[in-house]
Amino acid sequence: MRWFVISLGAIALMVAALLLVTGQGVWTVLWLLVNGCVLIGAIVFERWRYRPSIDRSKGRWQPTGERFVDPGTGRLVDVFYNPDTGERDYVEVSRKAQIDPGRR
C-alpha cells in the first residue's frame, strides 16, 4: 500500500511536469504538484514521525504477563510496562521462547 501511494504521487508529479511543458492550465499543474508532493511527503515522513522512542534503560520496566500475536508481523509479542512513565513496550518473543514458554 505504501508503494502504491508513493507511485500515485510520482504519477501526479510526472503528469504535472508534462502539462507544464505542453503549456496547459496553471491551476491544474499547481493542483497536481501540490497533491503529488503531499502524497509522497506524507508517506516518507509518516515512518519517521510516528516511531515511538522508548528508552528501556530508564525506569522500572515490568512484564505485564500479556502476550499476543502482532497482526502486522504475525510474531508473538510480550508487553512490558514502566510505572514511572506509564509507557508500554512491545518486545518480540524469541523463537526459542515460543517453543519452550517456560524460558525467556
Side-chain angles (χ1 to χ4, degrees):
M1 183 66 161
R2 175 179 162 89
W3 289 108
F4 177 73
V5 175
I6 289 175
S7 298
L8 285 178
I11 290 169
L13 292 176
M14 286 187 277
V15 170
L18 180 67
L19 290 176
L20 186 62
V21 168
T22 60
Q24 299 298 317
V26 172
W27 293 112
T28 304
V29 170
L30 185 61
W31 185 81
L32 285 169
L33 281 172
V34 168
N35 282 300
C37 289
V38 166
L39 281 174
I40 292 172
I43 294 299
V44 168
F45 290 115
E46 172 261 343
R47 291 265 174 140
W48 166 75
R49 175 68 175 102
Y50 293 107
R51 188 163 296 184
S53 59
I54 294 177
D55 186 5
R56 293 290 307 251
S57 65
K58 295 181 181 176
R60 299 174 292 132
W61 289 93
Q62 305 168 353
T64 63
E66 298 173 62
R67 271 192 173 180
F68 65 93
V69 176
D70 182 3
T73 62
R75 295 182 176 152
L76 188 62
V77 174
D78 273 338
V79 181
F80 289 84
Y81 174 71
N82 184 347
D84 297 335
T85 62
E87 290 178 297
R88 293 170 63 90
D89 191 14
Y90 305 93
V91 179
E92 181 180 331
V93 177
S94 69
R95 288 219 178 264
K96 189 171 189 176
Q98 288 180 26
I99 294 168
D100 182 10
R103 296 185 65 190
R104 283 199 177 188

